[in-house]
Amino acid sequence: MLKTRMTELFGIGHPIMLAGMNWITEPELVAAVSNAGGLGILAVARCAPEETRKLIRETRQLTDKPFGINQILIGANAKENIQVAIEEKVPIINYSLGKPWFIDQVHDYGGKVVGTIAIAKHAVNAAKLGCDALVVTGHEAAAHGDAATSLVLIPVVASQVDIPLIAAGGFYDGRGLAAALALGADGISMGTRFIATKECNVHDNFKQLIVNASEQDTLYSHVFDGMKGRVLKTKAALKMMQRGFPLFEAFKGAKEVKEQMNLSYPAFLAMSFKMLGKEDEGYMPWIMARQAVGTRRHLMAIQKGDVEEGILFAGQNVGGINDIPTVKELVDRTVAEAEAVIDKLNQAKA
Ligand SMILES: Cc1cc2nc3c(=O)[nH]c(=O)nc-3n(C[C@H](O)[C@H](O)[C@H](O)COP(=O)(O)O)c2cc1C
């Protein structure tokens, strides 16, 4: 057993969190992680509020253990989805990209708020606002890490804030968990590693690409969804890096994404323009359309397994992922490995 501030705060068995991943961390996977003693996180940014409520209730049918939701605060429906989660008294609210307005409301029913940051200055601000814990995302991560790697970012943040930290970006086994604890974190969050599990809904073609990939097989760029992020090196991802902007695909993508998210055109445009504010490298006119193209291609990967045209956010840890276990096998193995590493280090002390 590994007891840390993270396990104490959330009332869970193991200091392991399932990273929120839209379209992927759905009730079955979330419940599997919580039932295995970790913390499952349901990603709801893709949902209209009524679907958020439905998924929260579905998750509760599958587990009586603590779980959380993840919401991107600059997304469409962010306010409404957070309100639903508060009404449903979801134990943990994990947010990313944006400033939380709901901390007191969540504390009122005994819930916890977990911010996601990739820059130390943002960690200090989030702690001041009253967050109970933080997910600290390094450059190795799938999707939107910033410039600093986990090795540097975790201890830097740990020196500046005094709330539990959950290290994200690059973690896939017990050595990583033990290392995160040594660096000053209280547990880990894993995204890519949990995609390659039996309970995950991602198409088998992409699980297999993860298993076959080396640590060199990811690309980090703003081209995939308008914000700097990391994806698996697929044919489509390489093409997106090389060629000019696909205007026709952008229109097609925007229409499909809008329909999948059940949004009106004004709501889709509002969400996209809010995301413009997060970009700082001069690609502004293209971000909205890039986001539409990116989401469309992600759905081609996740739902259709299209290895020619699909793209998938994935971390550098693909290089260390070599199998597709059940969630419980993965969680138990990760904890056992971490305990063995800690024992070994203790024995090394003269
Ligand atoms: C396919 C995919 C989708 C993701 N979607 C989201 C999301 O909707 N919201 C979010 O905050 N992070 C999202 N992330 C980032 C993860 O929450 C997490 O930070 C990242 O996976 C950690 O790095 P790792 O993959 O190296 O474990 C996504 C990651 C992946 C792999």
Side-chain angles (χ1 to χ4, degrees):
M1 284 282 281
L2 292 170
K3 202 166 126 184
T4 70
R5 291 189 298 177
M6 177 184 174
T7 57
E8 298 283 285
L9 179 69
F10 301 137
I12 55 176
H14 306 304
I16 296 176
M17 172 174 145
L18 166 68
M21 297 181 274
N22 266 288
W23 317 98
I24 297 174
T25 56
E26 299 279 305
E28 194 195 348
L29 184 58
V30 173
V33 173
S34 289
N35 286 335
L39 180 66
I41 299 286
L42 180 70
V44 297
R46 68 162 190 86
C47 300
E50 58 277 15
E51 195 177 4
T52 295
R53 195 183 302 278
K54 182 173 151 273
L55 294 182
I56 290 169
R57 292 184 178 180
E58 251 176 74
T59 307
R60 280 217 160 96
Q61 295 287 315
L62 299 172
T63 185
D64 57 2
K65 302 278 191 309
F67 69 96
I69 60 124
N70 168 274
Q71 173 68 48
I72 300 169
L73 295 187
I74 55 173
N77 294 326
K79 278 215 160 64
E80 294 82 355
N81 282 343
I82 294 286
Q83 186 54 36
V84 166
I86 289 170
E87 285 165 18
E88 295 290 321
K89 296 189 168 51
V90 174
I92 291 117
I93 310 284
N94 169 222
Y95 72 85
S96 52
L97 299 176
K99 196 169 164 186
W101 60 88
F102 44 80
I103 294 181
D104 288 344
Q105 283 168 276
V106 176
H107 286 166
D108 282 348
Y109 66 82
K112 308 291 177 209
V113 177
V114 180
T116 302
I117 60 93
I119 296 175
K121 187 171 71 179
H122 296 170
V124 173
N125 292 340
K128 275 194 196 139
L129 287 173
C131 280
D132 300 284
L134 295 173
V135 172
V136 179
T137 311
H139 181 69
E140 305 91 324
H144 307 116
D146 213 283
T149 59
S150 293
L151 186 62
V152 170
L153 188 64
I154 299 161
V156 166
V157 173
S159 302
Q160 295 182 26
V161 302
D162 197 23
I163 54 177
L165 302 180
I166 305 164
F171 298 97
Y172 64 94
D173 68 1
R175 293 170 299 181
L177 172 52
L181 299 179
L183 290 171
D186 302 274
I188 54 171
S189 169
M190 298 193 289
T192 309
R193 177 60 270 197
F194 275 117
I195 293 179
T197 58
K198 292 217 163 61
E199 290 90 337
C200 180
N201 65 3
V202 167
H203 196 284
D204 283 345
N205 290 352
F206 272 81
K207 289 185 187 174
Q208 211 49 57
L209 284 184
I210 289 175
V211 166
N212 294 343
S214 85
E215 83 289 349
Q216 303 294 321
D217 288 335
T218 65
L219 300 166
Y220 181 76
S221 166
H222 66 279
V223 301
F224 306 115
D225 73 346
M227 294 180 284
K228 281 173 288 187
R230 186 180 302 284
V231 304
L232 200 56
K233 194 191 276 180
T234 56
K235 282 184 194 156
L238 282 165
K239 245 192 274 167
M240 286 174 88
M241 297 276 287
Q242 283 156 9
R243 76 176 180 206
F245 186 72
L247 196 56
F248 175 68
E249 188 184 355
F251 282 122
K252 221 171 135 192
K255 189 164 175 295
E256 284 173 20
V257 170
K258 179 195 140 309
E259 278 159 17
Q260 289 251 16
M261 292 183 75
N262 216 0
L263 294 176
S264 64
Y265 275 109
F268 182 71
L269 285 176
M271 173 182 84
S272 306
F273 275 111
K274 271 194 215 160
M275 286 191 164
L276 294 185
K278 297 283 151 190
E279 179 61 50
D280 57 0
E281 292 197 357
Y283 305 105
M284 302 264 280
W286 306 120
I287 293 170
M288 183 179 77
R290 283 198 194 287
Q291 189 195 327
V293 172
T295 307
R296 179 168 182 266
R297 285 185 177 270
H298 263 89
L299 291 173
M300 286 166 125
I302 294 166
Q303 297 173 350
K304 301 199 174 113
D306 187 337
V307 294
E308 299 294 321
E309 300 296 333
I311 62 168
L312 185 70
F313 286 133
Q316 292 179 337
N317 47 14
V318 288
I321 298 173
N322 302 313
D323 61 357
I324 304 175
T326 66
V327 163
K328 183 158 173 31
E329 283 163 359
L330 176 64
V331 169
D332 288 349
R333 178 172 90 192
T334 304
V335 173
E337 281 170 3
E339 287 171 346
V341 170
I342 293 165
D343 284 347
K344 196 169 147 195
L345 292 176
N346 273 327
Q347 282 158 20
K349 223 171 86 182

